[in-house]
């Protein structure tokens, strides 16, 4: 009897150790690239090539070289403009759609919804060229509007808001109606505040996707003045003899805003992922 | 609840957002150029533009840099969509990929036959941009190859620079064995998963993976067979220090681990960056295959400028390229001195920079030598599937080294390549 208790405890400890071991390994794998990026920004290319993992003294030289090659404020402004405006409008449009799909009943509702979900299965590469032709016809090539427009109705975010709306109490809407609120007022003054952690989570997701978006901006943007930071870093990294220290400075700069947004909204993000309405 | 101001606000915000996002400048008389590498191609193009603007002040240049793969992706999308106003006036294309673009998009690029004097360029650079009798593009940087070697190691092993002139790969292997016996250093290094050496050897004999008609030429290709056998022989003779990846490869010769390397002229800057090794290096012609038709000259890499046929600035773009890249010898001195760029205009050799003796290479006139070899690189047709063939070759290299007969390995390569290119 006592022996079995002992062995149970023993095996529980063992499993605990294995579990923490695996978690540590996963944490290491997730954190190491960031660590390597920060270390790289302080080293010269030759040291980065040999795999030096200790901080060097070239940080300021790398920053200076980066600033000399790249119009940093302009590039960050371009990225920020696309990401912030794009995210705001995407969330507005997609959350209205998600709200509508859940609140309004009709025979065709689920058929239309299924078709919309099916479009998730069409890879972007397949629609890239037709989309490009549309943008060219509309005279939007080399504008940031061309990047934002195709993302405004995000199927994933519509889906996400519809799922979250299932937990939105119908009584609230009924009560608001009785009080004489119009539909858009219910949406704006009842739904949005109640669902704010869903909004926060959606903001983090859309902002990160938009900030890191690469292929489409690459195709649409044509001049140095409109380029985003991801395009600039990619260009620096593809030189015949890339200055990796400078590339790392660029990568840090390109990563910081998403990190900032994530940490600023971490609590709401986790809550939003678990479901907004308690 | 006051709803009006809210509506107006939303409308205003949306309008402000739209105008903020839609501003795009465009004006005439501007030549737009797409290329990669800010410190090389962009810098060279800026210099070219500045020279042209002196005589044509009304012309401005807009040089946009993207990653190399990105330039290709954008060009591909723009051409495939038929949206010509989304294309630049001039674009840089890597030589190995030129035929792919020329053949996939007929009439997309402007032929320059008759507008550019191509006889002034290395013939192989002209051949790779020629399709059905028309020549497209302006030849730019060359990857003419040479044998870069450590004088000190070879001297220790009893070899004089003259012993390395115009040798065969068999002789190279013999020398390599002697060098290792005397100095303990391997003769060379190679990235075994990289097809570069096969390409160098094959082109030295005027052959490629494809014949002049673009058909696969593998099983009956004596030069390819010779190239594979020579590499297997080098590995078996133990004169190669294997490298895993580019950095390892570069490190092998810059750190003094190996006595020589055969590669493109563009490596010169990397070698000369090792200032402590000044005077210890030399250059010799690329070894040749032991077969009729093989020369002591070849090429690895390089790229060229192309003008888009539908471009509004087409004529000006062509006359710009013809005036600067086509004949400005001083321009070629400047880009060699500032950026280490070796162009393909053979007349450039008459300039001061090309004639300089370089103490780093023991006082040799290295640029004169490269210029000699540049003119001798055999022209070949690169075809449109070079990368696919490279993969098939490197995948089968180990079997050859392990002792499989070369003819059978060639059959395997051909079979594997056919599945990939169809």
């Amino acid at each position: 009897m006592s022996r079995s208790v002992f062995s149970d405890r023993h095996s529980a400890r063992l499993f605990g150790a294995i579990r923490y071991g695996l978690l540590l390994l996963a944490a290491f794998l997730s954190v190491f690239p960031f660590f390597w990026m920060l270390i790289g920004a302080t080293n010269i290319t030759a040291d980065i090539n040999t795999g030096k993992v200790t901080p060097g003294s070239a940080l300021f030289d790398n920053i200076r070289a980066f600033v000399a090659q790249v119009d940093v404020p302009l590039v960050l402004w371009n990225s920020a403009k696309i990401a912030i405006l794009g995210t705001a409008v995407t969330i507005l449009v997609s959350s209205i759609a998600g709200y509508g799909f859940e609140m309004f009943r009709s025979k065709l509702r689920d058929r239309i919804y299924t078709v919309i979900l099916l479009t998730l299965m069409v890879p972007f590469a397949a629609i890239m060229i037709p989309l490009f032709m549309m943008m060219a016809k509309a005279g939007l090539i080399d504008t940031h509007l061309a990047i934002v427009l195709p993302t405004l109705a995000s199927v994933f975010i519509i889906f996400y808001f519809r799922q979250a709306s299932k937990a939105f109490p119908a009584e609230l809407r009924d009560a608001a109606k009785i009080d004489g609120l119009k539909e858009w007022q219910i949406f704006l003054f009842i739904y949005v505040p109640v669902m704010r952690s869903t909004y926060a989570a959606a903001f983090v997701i859309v902002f990160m996707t938009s900030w890191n978006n690469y292929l489409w901006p690459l195709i649409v943007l044509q001049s140095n003045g409109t380029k985003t930071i991801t395009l600039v870093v990619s260009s620096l990294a593809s030189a015949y003899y890339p200055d990796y220290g400078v590339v790392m400075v660029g990568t840090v700069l390109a990563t910081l805003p998403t990190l900032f947004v994530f940490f600023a909204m971490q609590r709401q993000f986790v809550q939003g992922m678990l479901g907004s309405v308690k | 609840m006051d709803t009006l101001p809210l509506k107006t606000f939303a409308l205003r915000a949306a309008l402000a957002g739209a105008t903020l996002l839609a501003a795009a400048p465009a004006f005439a008389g501007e030549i737009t150029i797409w290329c990669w590498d800010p410190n090389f191609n962009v810098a060279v193009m800026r210099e070219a533009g500045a020279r042209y603007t002196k005589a044509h002040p009304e012309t401005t240049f807009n040089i946009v840099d993207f990653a190399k793969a990105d330039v290709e992706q954008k060009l591909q999308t723009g051409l495939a969509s038929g949206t010509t106003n989304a294309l630049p006036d001039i674009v840089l294309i890597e030589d190995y990929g030129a035929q792919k673009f020329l053949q996939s998009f007929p009439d997309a690029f402007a032929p320059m036959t008759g507008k550019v004097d191509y006889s002034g360029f290395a013939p192989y650079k002209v051949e790779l941009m020629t399709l059905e009798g028309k020549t497209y593009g302006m030849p730019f940087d060359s990857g003419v190859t040479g044998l870069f070697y450590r004088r000190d190691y070879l001297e220790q092993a009893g070899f004089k620079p003259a012993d390395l002139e115009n040798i065969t790969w068999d002789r190279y292997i013999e020398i390599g064995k002697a060098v290792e016996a005397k100095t303990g250093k391997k003769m060379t290094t190679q990235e075994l998963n990289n097809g570069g050496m096969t390409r160098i050897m094959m082109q030295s004999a005027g052959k490629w993976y494809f014949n002049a008609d673009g058909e696969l030429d593998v099983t009956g290709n004596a030069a390819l067979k010779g190239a594979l056998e020579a590499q297997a022989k080098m590995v078996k003779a133990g004169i190669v220090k294997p490298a895993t990846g580019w950095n390892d490869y570069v490190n092998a010769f810059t750190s003094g681990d190996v006595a020589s390397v055969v590669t493109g002229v563009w490596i010169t800057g990397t070698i000369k960056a090792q200032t402590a090794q000044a005077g210890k290096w030399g250059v010799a012609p690329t070894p040749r295959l032991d077969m009729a038709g093989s020369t002591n000259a070849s090429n690895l890499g390089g790229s060229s400028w192309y003008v888009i046929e539908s471009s509004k600035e087409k004529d000006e773009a062509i006359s710009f390229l013809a005036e600067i890249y086509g004949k400005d010898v001083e321009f070629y001195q400047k880009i060699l001195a500032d950026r280490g760029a070796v162009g393909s205009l053979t007349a450039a050799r008459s300039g001061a920079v090309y004639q300089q003796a370089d103490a780093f290479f023991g006082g040799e006139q290295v640029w004169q030598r490269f210029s000699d070899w540049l003119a001798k690189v055999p022209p070949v047709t690169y075809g449109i599937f070079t990368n696919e063939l490279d993969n098939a070759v490197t995948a089968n290299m180990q079997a050859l080294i392990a002792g499989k007969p070369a003819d059978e390995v060639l059959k395997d390569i051909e079979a594997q390549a056919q599945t990939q290119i169809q």
Side-chain angles (χ1 to χ4, degrees), chain A residues 101-131:
Chain A
F101 269 119
E102 189 54 34
M103 298 303 162
F104 299 101
R105 289 165 198 284
S106 103
K107 272 185 192 162
L108 281 175
R109 177 174 77 165
D110 284 307
R111 292 217 181 129
I112 295 172
Y113 189 63
T114 312
V115 171
I116 290 180
L117 282 188
L118 274 177
T119 63
L120 270 181
M121 299 176 79
V122 181
F124 180 71
I127 61 161
M128 194 167 78
I129 289 178
L131 197 58

Side-chain angles (χ1 to χ4, degrees), chain A residues 7 50 71 84 118 121 146 155 178 181 192 209 235 244 249 252-253 261:
Chain A
S7 85
T50 56
D71 187 345
I84 294 171
L118 274 177
M121 299 176 79
V155 177
I178 292 165
L181 257 60
V192 172
T209 321
S235 174
Y244 288 116
V249 169
V252 171
L253 208 59
V261 165

